Amino acid sequence: MMLGHGALDWGVVAVFVTVYLGMILGGLPRLKLDRSGVALLGAKPCRLYS
């Protein structure tokens, strides 16, 4: 169970899921990003969380 987790934990999960979906899809077409762009986009929030 994932009880007792804060907003920061859910933010990290959201970034993780977004990056992996972007990798699976080959990019995020709406943002015109390829896989490397998705990885960089995901690295920025993770850097801020740490």
Side-chain angles (χ1 to χ4, degrees):
M1 291 187 339
M2 297 185 74
L3 298 175
H5 292 280
L8 184 64
D9 294 336
W10 289 111
V12 171
V13 170
V15 169
F16 181 80
V17 169
T18 303
V19 168
Y20 267 82
L21 282 175
M23 293 294 181
I24 291 169
L25 297 174
L28 296 175
R30 187 160 179 107
L31 297 176
K32 297 183 182 177
L33 288 174
D34 59 355
R35 287 181 178 172
S36 59
V38 171
L40 289 173
L41 183 69
K44 187 69 168 176
C46 286
R47 180 83 171 141
L48 293 174
Y49 287 143
S50 61

